[in-house]
Each structure stands twice: as structure tokens, then as C-alpha cells.
């Protein structure tokens, strides 16, 4: 399993960190450990060794000059407080380090941990950079600049062997620069999948607060905003959007921020009422403001609807603002994902909208201050009057806010009422309007005691300079989306999956809903002759389900004026910012479009074109603000990238389909009729590509049968074509009645010749193949087999015993110069012989010995029929996603009834021919084969006479009665007769001609000593 943002780990490796212990020892001893250790860990070990670090003598440096109230600290304090509450009671320790690896903050799930841990794990100020601390989460996250997990023995230091951690860099959302590292440490046994999700969301929360610490110009605007309302009667106290997260879902917050961004860029004073999807209305007020230094900006305030008469407004505390006394515990798992919107320098992606007060500390809307250290001042929240211009000194009122001078802060006196608005009060301070708040056992104030007085319904939403920074954020958003597209689109060579990746990347990053329509021909890997008339809905993806889009799998027909057809005709993206006014789209299907208009309001249709081929059309829909020209350009760029990946997948699908068709065409289409074995077979192509595996069943003389399995190295068309050539050659050699070792020798010579005849001379031919050939004789119940670099067969005895015969492996075909050895094995009736290719047992994530044992267990059921055995093996042994072809052949052997076998042995005396002929006729008559006797009598006469005249003793005669009648005559001579056309004056040479005419086939089979001449008579024909 591979978690998001984490490198793949070798299968079978212990997740508790015990796996690489021996590998680490090998590394420290100077031994090579390239396999079995993750690349990032091995690279870190090598860097540590090059730095001369010692695992048992790593003294971490301590910095007394670290800044306990720096920018990253101010942003991280409330997030760490929430993390601590989430992991309360556990052994998780939470830390934040700066960009140099110096730990600035620490939190513990169980506070008692501080009594048992060493100072380096408790006290801030120690440096964990890789160059001084070795391989660890913080140092490696800084070095790799990504999510990092370090398990137990992967740590370089001896003292960290029992721990594990996950660490993630925290970046400045505007500059992209790494500001620090968030790290979660825990015992090795505490590993949880949720830790990766938790640390990502926590890092996003810190980055959102970093974004709120805005530039000096924005701080000047904010000081003016705060100072203007400091002495105003009827003080407006702001509340951030996340404080009402229970009432405003993420989409509603995004709508309000998008509208606020429009008001800022308009640089005008006014008010607008925003209607949310659920019908609620929020008024956004736009007010210009100018700082004493001349910075002109726009303030956007939200006026929320008040509660019904007689009912208090109950709004939970904003946890960012109440780090010490949280009113409601907000678990980290409830955090919402961030959405970055272009909205000026003070844009907040999602979650709490925070800016910076005069001291540079995070400040919530309306001036509510974020979490502060004990040295930080508290500022009141105020509103600003229209077009107010205030000098910086005018903000320093007796009861005013803290005033920033550069990055240094001067604390001004604050009243108790100010504290009740803007931040946590020290212990003993009464925060409620009517007395001390009643806290529960955890120190949390019950939410029911919050009142309208403590939580106003008006506050700052956004503050910034018109146009300044909006383009930077928008450009960054585009770059991030395109970067994501480059990694997410095209990860597979599957047409449908690539289309899904395009939709998943675009929604919700660009659009709310995406539909993709592809021709049927493209899904099959071909080019569509008429893509407009052949489109089929392939993908429907969006932020929610249940919309009335045409479902996947249905054919779609676009009218001539629809945006989709227009984009296909013009090969350009078509933008419809307002679908209510898109006549062509509305006219296509009025009833259907009317239902869609209740959910979507803007559309971009983009053609999917690659290399001049029309692959389909992608439609991007948005339910909120309309698309613009920049969105159209972005959609076209995404579609262009996806189209290339789809075309690559289409071409691959086309090639794979052709190779698979060739492969299946070259494999046997049916099994020959024979009585020696009951056979079942399977062929399973690899998921990624088709290889060159094959199998064959070959009837041989003497009622024998040959079983053949082979594998050509490589994949693709060349391997499939070579497989066909080798299978044909192997069958031909087998039908010549060569023994298995000789068949492999001939194949070896053939493969070597094919490689030498490679036209380009680059050795791109076969470059090796493996093969296993077995010949089973039902009359003797013996099997002779040999293999050339192929996996050994499995033999299943009638009692269920499964063995792998000790068969010499032999060299792969094509090496040449080395012999092959054949081994004979006895197979009692009912035994099963299982032949397979290496794709069944070899896999990068499995041990071969373990798989062979698994195969043994799957085969240990002799009562199963071969078909059932094949299916059981594929279900239990074959890999779920095979990287190589699998050919499987299961043969249950049968023994020939001794009553159907007749044997005679005679000397080289012509007088004996009549005796044997008469005995054979009686044997045939006893079995009701009188009609066959005439042909058999003539055949035996000719063959026995030839053996006496031209062969050598001993001479043996055998009759085999099965599907056909087989007549065999053997002698000790290696001289074989040849069929020829006798002249009219010749006295001999006509005997074999008669044998060929009376039998359906005949031939010669050589023995270690002598030969066998055989002829096969068709019982029906006879």
C-alpha cells in the first residue's frame, strides 16, 4: 500500500520499523543495501555518512537565540493547540521547527511525557537539521521538501530506534518558500493512516495563518482601519467566517470571499447583498481607506442577519482566537480543505480569514486578535468610516490598539472590554458579560452561554489594495493546478482512467462539475470516422452527486449550435459565462437544460485534440461565479495535456488489442482428441502488456501425448510473433517423435539462428526463451520431460501429495552449446501434471518459495477436475495485477487398459510371420474388430516382413486399441524404411505404399536402441 505523498515501499517490509534494522547495520558496515531501503532514507544515510556523523554520538546543538515569538510561531500556536486536543492522552509529541531545523514549539498528547523524555525531545531550541542530527523527520522533510515518514531503524541515531514520525514542510502561501516543518512523533506501534491526513490539514492551517501575516502596506491599512474605530461609539466587533462554520458551509464561505474580491478590485464604495444557495442573505459593505503614508485600499465588512427577536445569537468561539480557553473543542478531522481564491494581498484561501495587526500578529476579521504569546499585546476590533485617512501616530490612543513600528511592537493599554472581544484573558479575568464563565472539567466554556453581546454579527471579511496581489495569487493558483495536472493526468495507459484523471484534477480546482464525452472508437483504441455522431458519455465528476447530467455509458447527441459542437468545429474552447443566455445550449433539450440550470450557470466546452485526431470533448461547469477568459485558457491547457495522454493511451490500447489478437490467434484454438490425458488450460495476458507465453497439446504415436509450455522473453508484437514461430517449430519437432531433450536442442538452435538473423544487428530478436516439454505414455504410465530455463512442473498424486520433480533446469533457449537432460517420472492413473509459466509465480512483491508453497496448497485437491484446478490456481495463486503473461496447463493422466494392449516377440524367421498374424486376427476378433482385421493383417504382414529382412532381432509386435488401432513393429536396427514409387520392373518397394494406403498415418519412432515402425488405422473407416 502507498499513501498519498509517500514513496512506495517494498512489499513484505515491516511497517513498524523493524524491517530495515539489519539493512541499516549492513550500511553502517559498508555493505551495499540498494534494495530493501526506500530511496529517500538511503540517500539520507549516505549524506550522514559523508558528513562523518556517528549513530551513537550525535549531540544536537542548542540555540539560545531562537525567536519564540516569530512569524511561524504565531501562526502555529493555535493549530498546535488543536492538535494537542486531538491527540490528548496519546504518546504523540508535536513540534514545529523553523527552516533551519531548530525546534520552536512543542506539544504533547500526554503532558506526563515531559517527565520521561530527554531534554532534546522536550525543550525548544535544539537543532534537528540532517547535517547535525542525522536521518530524522524534521531534517529529512527539509532536505526532501515533501511529506516524510521515518520508521524506527530508519533513523540514523541509535537513540531514535524505538520511535516513528511523520513530518511535512510548511510553506509561505505567497512566496512558496519553506518557513518551517511540522512534525508528529510517536511510538512505532502507534502508526495510523489518519496521521498523514492530520498533518496535512494542520500544515494547511498554519499556512493560512501565515498568509494572514500580510505586507507592511497592508499592516498600515489595517492600523488605519483599527484606529478609525477605536474611539467610535457602538463599536463593531468582528467575527471570522470560520466562527460560524456550522452555519456557513465551505461553498458559502467561498462565495462570500469571491464576492469580496470583486468588490475590492472594483475600488468603489458600496454594499451588495449576497444570496447563498440555501436562500440566506449576507450584506457585504465596501469602504475605501487610506493610510497615513498614502496607501489606498478597500475594506470589506460582512453584515450577518441578526437572530429572531427574543432569541440570543449563539455562535461558537473562534478557536483561533481562544487558544487558552476554547469554548468548543474542534477536532482536526473536522477541518475543511483549503481553496485559494484571488482576492488581493489579504486573501484567505479557506478557513479563518486572518490579517495582521499593528504588531504583525495574526488578527481575525474585525480586528479580533489571533493567538499571542505572553509578550504580545491585545488589540480591539473596530470598524472604519468611509474614506478615513489617519496618520500612524493618531492610532496611539490611550485605549487604542498596539502599534507596529516595522517588525517591533509597542504595547498600549487595553481595557477589559477590549480583552473580552479580542483574545484570551489571563487567569482570573472575568470574560463573560455577567460574570465568570462556567467551565467544564476540561476547561471549556459551554457553547450555550455564548451570547450576542460576546459574539457580534458584523466583521471584517477582506482588506487589500485593488488589483495588487490578485494576479499573483491567480497565477500561482494556475501554476499549481497545471503542476498537479502534470502529475495526475496520464498515470496509466487506460483511456477511461485518463479521462477520469482530467475530471478529478479540474474539479474543484477549476470547475464544480466536469463531463467528458469520447467516441466508442477511441475507447476501443481506434480513430473515430465520425466523432461527432459517435460520442458517448464517459465521465461525470463534480463536487457532489445527483445532478441531472447524462449518466456515463449513454450516447450523447449535441445540436449544431451547442457549445460542445462549436468547439469541435472550431478546435477552440468555447466559453458560455451565463448559460441562462446561451440560446444554443438551451435549445438543445429545453427540459433537460432547465433542470441543469438549477445547479450550474457557466460553461466552458473544450475539444480534446491530439496530433490532429479528435478524441472527444470536455465540458466544465460552474455553479458559482461565472467563468472568465483566464479560466477558458486554463481549461484549454488542461484539456490539451489530457488529450495527449488520452491519445497515448488510445494508441497503446490499439497496439495491445492487436498484439493480444495475434497472441490468441497463435495459441491453440481447441484441444486434439486423445485418451491419454484430460486437459484444461488458461491464458491470462499481463495488465500492462502482452508477452509471448504459449502452451500446446500434441498427440504422438503409440497413444502418447506431448505437453508443451513456453515463454518468450519480452512483450509486444515481436514477442507474440516469435512465440508463434517457436510454437510451430516445437510442434513440428515433437511430431517427428524426437524425445524431449532433443526437441529442446532443436529449439535452442532455432532461437540462436533467429537472433543471428536479426536484420538490424542490434540483438533485438528473441534474446532468450524458456520451455518445458513432457511426453506421457499411458501404456507404461511414465512421463519423460525436460526443461530449458523454465519453472519446474508440479505433480499431484492421487492421494493429494504435491511434488516438484527434481528436473535439471537447463539453459534458456538461444544460449547454445549446453545440453538438456530428460528425466522420467512415474505417474499413476489419476495423477495431475501441472505446467505453467513464470508469470504465475514470479512477482516483484512476492517471494517465489512462498508462492510455490501456496501453489502446492491450491493443488492438493486431487478430486478436482482439471478445469476446477485451473480456476482455483488463478483465484488463489495468480497475482491480482499480473505484470507478465500467465499460461497454465493441467493434465490428468489416464492409463490404457491392459486388455487393449497385445504384445508378441518373434525371432528373425519368416515362418513366424503367419503365426503372429493369426494370433493378431484372433485378438481383434475377440474385441469385435473383424472389419478392421483385413487392413491390420496386411499392415502387420508388410511391417513384420520388412523387420525380418532389413532389421535385427529382437523383433516385437504390439497392437494398441484406443480411438484407433495402432500397429507397431520394432527391431534393434536404426535403419528406417522410406516410401518410394516402385517401377514396373521392381520386385519390391510396394509394401510401404500399401501400408500408407491402408492406414490414416504411419511413421518411424527411434528408440535408444532400434526403432519402431507404426501405422494407425481408423476404426470407422475400416
Amino acid at each position: 500500500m502507498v499513501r498519498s505523498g509517500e514513496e512506495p515501499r517494498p512489499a513484505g517490509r515491516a511497517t513498524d520499523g523493524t524491517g530495515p534494522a539489519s539493512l541499516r547495520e549492513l550500511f553502517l558496515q559498508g555493505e551495499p543495501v540498494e534494495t530493501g531501503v526506500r530511496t529517500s532514507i538511503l540517500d539520507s544515510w549516505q549524506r550522514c555518512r559523508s558528513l562523518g556523523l556517528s549513530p551513537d554520538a550525535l549531540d544536537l546543538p542548542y540555540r539560545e537565540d531562537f525567536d519564540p515569538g516569530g512569524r511561524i510561531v504565531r501562526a502555529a500556536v493555535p493549530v498546535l493547540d488543536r492538535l494537542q486536543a486531538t491527540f490528548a492522552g496519546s504518546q504523540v509529541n508535536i513540534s514545529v521547527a523553523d527552516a533551519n531545523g531548530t525546534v520552536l514549539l512543542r506539544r504533547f498528547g500526554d503532558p506526563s511525557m515531559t517527565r520521561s523524555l530527554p531534554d532534546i525531545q522536550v525543550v525548544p531550541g535544539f537543532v534537528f537539521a540532517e547535517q547535525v542530527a542525522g536521518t530524522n523527520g524534521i531534517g529529512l522533510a527539509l532536505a526532501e521538501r515533501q511529506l516524510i515518514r521515518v520508521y524506527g531503524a530508519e533513523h540514523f541515531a541509535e537513540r531514535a530506534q524505538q520511535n516513528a514520525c511523520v513530518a511535512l514542510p510548511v510553506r509561505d502561501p505567497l512566496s512558496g518558500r519553506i518557513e518551517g516543518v511540522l512534525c508528529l512523533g510517536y511510538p512505532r506501534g502507534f502508526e495510523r493512516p489518519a496521521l498523514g491526513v492530520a498533518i496535512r490539514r494542520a500544515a494547511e492551517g498554519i499556512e493560512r495563518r501565515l498568509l494572514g501575516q500580510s505586507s507592511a502596506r497592508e499592516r498600515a491599512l489595517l492600523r488605519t482601519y483599527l484606529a478609525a474605530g477605536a474611539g467610535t461609539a457602538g463599536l463593531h466587533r468582528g467575527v471570522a467566517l470560520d466562527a460560524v462554520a456550522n452555519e456557513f458551509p465551505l461553498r458559502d464561505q467561498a462565495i462570500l470571499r469571491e464576492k469580496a474580491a470583486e468588490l475590492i478590485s472594483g475600488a468603489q464604495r458600496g454594499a451588495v447583498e449576497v444570496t447563498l444557495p440555501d436562500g440566506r442573505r449576507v450584506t457585504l459593505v465596501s469602504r475605501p481607506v487610506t493610510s497615513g503614508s498614502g496607501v489606498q485600499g478597500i475594506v470589506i465588512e460582512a453584515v450577518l442577519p441578526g437572530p429572531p427577536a427574543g432569541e440570543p445569537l449563539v455562535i461558537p468561539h473562534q478557536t483561533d482566537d481562544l487558544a487558552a480557553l476554547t469554548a468548543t473543542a474542534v477536532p482536526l478531522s473536522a477541518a475543511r480543505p483549503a481553496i485559494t481564491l484571488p482576492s488581493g494581498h489579504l486573501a484567505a484561501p479557506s478557513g479563518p480569514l486572518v490579517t495582521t495587526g499593528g504588531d504583525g500578529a495574526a488578527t481575525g476579521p474585525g480586528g479580533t486578535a489571533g493567538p499571542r504569546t505572553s509578550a504580545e499585546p491585545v488589540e480591539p476590533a473596530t470598524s472604519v468610516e468611509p474614506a478615513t485617512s489617519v496618520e500612524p501616530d493618531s492610532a496611539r490612543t490611550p485605549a487604542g490598539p498596539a502599534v507596529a513600528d516595522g517588525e517591533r511592537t509597542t504595547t498600549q493599554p487595553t481595557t477589559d472590554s477590549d480583552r473580552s472581544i479580542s483574545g484570551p484573558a489571563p487567569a482570573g479575568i472575568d470574560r463573560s458579560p455577567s460574570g465568570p464563565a462556567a467551565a467544564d472539567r476540561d476547561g471549556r466554556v459551554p457553547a450555550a452561554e455564548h451570547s450576542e453581546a460576546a459574539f457580534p454579527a458584523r466583521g471584517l471579511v477582506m482588506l487589500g489594495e485593488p488589483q495588487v496581489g490578485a494576479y499573483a495569487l491567480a497565477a500561482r493558483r494556475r501554476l499549481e493546478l497545471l503542476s498537479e495536472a502534470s502529475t495526475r493526468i496520464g498515470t496509466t495507459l487506460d483511456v477511461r482512467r485518463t479521462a477520469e484523471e482530467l475530471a478529478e484534477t479540474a474539479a474543484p480546482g477549476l470547475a464544480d462539475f466536469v463531463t467528458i464525452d469520447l467516441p466508442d472508437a477511441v475507447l476501443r483504441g481506434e480513430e473515430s470516422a465520425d466523432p461527432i455522431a459517435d460520442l458517448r458519455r464517459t465521465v461525470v465528476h463534480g463536487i457532489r452527486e445527483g445532478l441531472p447530467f447524462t449518466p456515463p455509458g449513454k450516447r450523447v447527441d449535441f445540436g449544431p449550435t451547442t457549445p460542445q459542437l462549436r468547439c469541435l468545429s472550431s478546435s477552440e474552447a468555447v466559453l458560455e459565462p451565463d448559460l441562462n443566455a446561451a440560446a444554443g445550449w438551451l435549445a438543445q433539450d429545453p427540459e433537460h437544460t432547465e433542470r441543469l440550470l438549477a445547479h450550474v450557470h457557466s460553461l466552458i466546452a473544450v475539444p480534446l485534440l491530439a496530433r490532429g485526431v479528435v478524441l472527444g470533448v470536455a465540458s466544465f461547469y460552474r455553479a458559482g461565479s461565472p467563468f472568465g477568459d483566464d479560466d477558458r485558457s486554463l481549461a484549454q491547457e488542461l484539456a490539451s495535456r489530457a488529450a495527449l495522454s488520452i491519445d497515448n493511451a488510445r494508441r497503446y490500447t490499439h497496439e495491445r488489442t492487436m498484439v493480444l489478437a495475434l497472441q490468441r490467434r497463435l495459441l491453440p484454438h481447441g484441444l486434439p482428441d486423445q485418451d491419454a490425458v484430460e486437459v484444461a488450460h488458461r491464458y491470462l495476458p499481463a495488465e500492462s502488456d502482452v508477452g509471448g507465453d504459449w502452451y500446446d497439446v500434441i498427440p504422438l504415436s503409440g497413444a502418447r501425448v506431448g505437453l508443451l509450455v513456453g515463454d518468450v522473453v519480452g512483450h509486444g508484437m515481436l514477442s507474440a510473433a516469435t512465440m508463434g514461430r517457436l510454437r510451430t517449430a516445437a510442434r513440428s519437432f515433437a511430431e517427428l517423435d524426437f524425445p524431449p531433450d532433443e526437441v529442446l536442442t532443436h529449439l535452442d538452435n532455432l532461437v540462436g539462428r533467429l537472433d543471428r538473423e536479426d536484420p538490424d544487428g542490434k540483438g533485438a530478436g528473441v534474446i532468450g526463451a524458456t520451455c518445458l516439454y513432457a511426453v506421457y505414455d499411458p501404456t507404461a504410465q511414465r512421463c519423460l520431460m525436460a526443461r530449458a530455463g523454465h519453472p519446474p512442473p508440479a505433480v499431484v498424486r492421487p492421494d493429494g501429495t504435491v511434488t516438484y520433480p527434481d528436473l535439471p533446469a537447463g539453459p534458456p533457449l538461444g544460449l547454445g552449446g549446453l545440453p538438456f537432460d530428460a528425466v522420467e517420472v512415474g505417474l499413476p492413473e489419476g495423477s495431475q501434471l501441472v505446467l505453467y509459466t513464470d508469470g504465475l509465480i514470479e512477482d516483484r512483491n512476492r517471494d517465489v518459495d512462498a508462492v510455490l508453497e501456496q501453489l502446492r496448497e491450491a493443488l492438493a485437491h486431487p478430486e478436482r477436475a482439471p478445469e476446477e484446478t485451473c480456476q482455483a490456481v488463478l483465484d488463489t495463486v495468480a497475482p491480482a495485477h499480473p505484470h507478465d503473461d500467465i499460461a497454465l496447463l493441467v493434465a490428468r493422466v489416464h492409463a490404457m487398459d491392459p486388455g487393449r494392449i497385445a504384445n508378441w516377440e518373434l525371432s528373425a524367421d519368416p515362418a513366424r510371420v503367419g503365426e503372429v498374424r493369426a494370433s493378431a486376427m484372433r485378438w481383434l476378433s475377440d474385441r469385435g474388430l473383424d472389419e478392421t482385421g483385413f487392413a491390420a493383417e496386411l499392415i502387420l504382414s508388410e511391417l513384420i516382413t520388412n523387420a525380418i529382412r532389413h532389421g535385427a532381432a529382437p523383433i516385437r509386435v504390439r497392437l494398441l486399441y484406443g480411438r484407433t488401432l495402432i500397429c507397431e513393429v520394432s527391431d534393434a536396427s536404426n535403419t528406417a524404411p522410406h516410401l518410394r514409387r516402385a517401377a514396373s520392373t521392381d520386385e519390391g518397394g510396394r509394401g510401404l505404399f500399401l501400408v500408407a494406403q491402408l492406414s490414416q498415418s504411419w511413421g518411424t519412432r527411434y528408440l535408444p536402441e532400434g526403432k519402431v515402425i507404426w501405422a494407425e488405422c481408423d476404426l470407422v473407416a475400416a
Side-chain angles (χ1 to χ4, degrees), residues 612-983:
V613 178
V614 178
L615 302 174
V617 60
S619 302
F620 303 89
Y621 295 89
R622 187 177 284 179
S625 60
F627 288 115
D629 290 332
D630 289 342
D631 297 315
R632 175 172 55 183
S633 302
L634 179 58
Q636 180 128 14
E637 178 67 21
L638 288 175
S640 298
R641 296 190 180 196
L644 286 174
S645 297
I646 291 175
D647 191 50
N648 289 338
R650 179 192 65 83
R651 290 167 177 258
Y652 167 78
T653 301
H654 180 63
E655 180 179 348
R656 186 178 188 276
T657 301
M658 290 192 302
V659 173
L660 186 58
L662 174 63
Q663 175 87 353
R664 294 192 182 280
R665 184 64 181 171
L666 294 175
L667 289 173
H669 288 264
L671 298 178
D673 294 332
Q674 44 79 37
D675 295 324
V677 294
E678 178 188 352
V679 181
H681 57 87
R682 293 289 189 278
Y683 171 73
L684 185 64
E687 279 193 354
S688 57
D689 209 346
V690 179
D693 293 14
W694 87 90
Y695 60 88
D696 211 345
V697 178
I698 308 169
L700 301 175
S701 64
R704 299 170 306 140
V705 64
L707 304 174
L708 189 67
V709 169
D711 180 8
V712 175
V713 175
H715 299 84
M717 188 71 72
L718 177 62
S719 295
T722 304
M723 178 275 292
R725 300 170 72 178
L726 290 183
R727 175 179 172 255
T728 301
R731 189 178 185 92
S732 300
F733 295 143
E735 289 179 344
L736 290 174
D737 268 326
F738 292 140
D741 52 338
E742 291 189 25
V743 170
L744 295 183
T745 300
H746 287 294
L747 286 176
D748 182 53
N749 295 332
L750 173 63
V751 172
R753 186 165 62 252
L754 292 176
D755 281 341
R756 291 192 298 271
E757 294 173 356
D758 178 24
D760 58 15
K762 297 179 180 179
V766 179
I767 320 178
T770 65
C771 184
L772 171 62
Y773 180 42
V775 176
Y776 173 68
D777 185 353
T779 63
Q781 300 179 41
R782 306 290 293 177
C783 183
L784 185 66
M785 53 186 128
R787 61 179 176 136
H790 202 82
V795 176
V796 184
R797 303 288 178 178
D799 60 358
T801 304
V802 181
T803 60
Y804 298 100
D806 187 11
L807 183 62
L813 300 177
L815 294 183
L818 296 174
F820 299 95
D821 297 320
V823 172
E824 190 173 51
V825 178
L827 294 180
E829 183 173 11
S831 299
Q832 290 188 2
L833 184 63
V834 181
L835 286 68
Y836 51 87
T837 56
D838 58 2
L840 177 68
I841 62 172
E842 294 183 5
D843 186 78
R844 68 189 65 173
N845 296 323
R846 303 191 299 173
D847 180 72
V848 174
D849 293 336
V851 177
L852 288 176
E853 185 61 31
Q854 191 178 6
L855 177 61
R856 187 195 305 272
E857 295 175 0
L859 294 176
H861 298 276
E863 73 281 358
R864 288 176 177 163
E867 283 289 341
E868 296 174 346
T869 301
C870 275
Q871 194 59 46
V873 169
L874 291 183
D875 291 342
T876 60
V877 181
H881 304 282
H883 298 284
D884 194 7
D885 290 14
I886 296 175
L888 178 63
L889 193 65
V890 178
R892 171 174 286 168
V893 302
H894 299 293
M896 179 169 280
D897 185 356
R900 290 175 172 260
I901 304 174
N903 291 281
W904 295 273
E905 185 172 345
L906 64 159
S907 61
D909 182 2
R912 295 293 308 277
V913 175
E915 297 177 9
V916 174
R917 186 172 57 231
S919 297
M921 293 305 101
R922 287 193 300 271
W923 188 85
L924 292 176
S925 178
D926 292 342
R927 284 153 184 80
L929 301 177
D930 297 292
E931 295 183 3
T932 310
F934 174 74
E937 184 177 10
L938 291 177
I939 290 173
L940 287 175
S941 296
E942 290 296 331
L943 295 181
I944 296 173
T945 302
N946 282 339
I948 293 176
R949 288 182 177 179
H950 307 290
I955 299 172
R956 297 183 177 87
V957 177
R958 187 172 71 164
L959 295 181
L960 303 176
Y961 171 31
R963 291 177 180 269
T964 59
L965 178 65
I966 302 173
C967 305
E968 294 182 346
V969 177
S970 64
D971 65 83
S973 171
N974 289 325
T975 303
H978 297 281
L979 181 65
R980 65 183 180 88
R981 187 179 296 277

Side-chain angles (χ1 to χ4, degrees), residues 390-413:
V390 183
E391 292 296 327
D393 289 342
S394 65
R396 304 173 185 260
T397 59
V403 180
D405 181 10
E407 294 299 326
R408 310 303 299 171
T409 303
T410 301
T411 304
Q412 299 294 335

Side-chain angles (χ1 to χ4, degrees), residues 147 149 166 192-204 332-333:
L147 178 71
R149 294 177 185 270
V166 56
R192 300 289 188 276
L195 289 174
V197 178
I199 197 169
R200 286 185 184 278
R201 290 178 172 170
E204 290 172 357
L332 191 62
S333 59

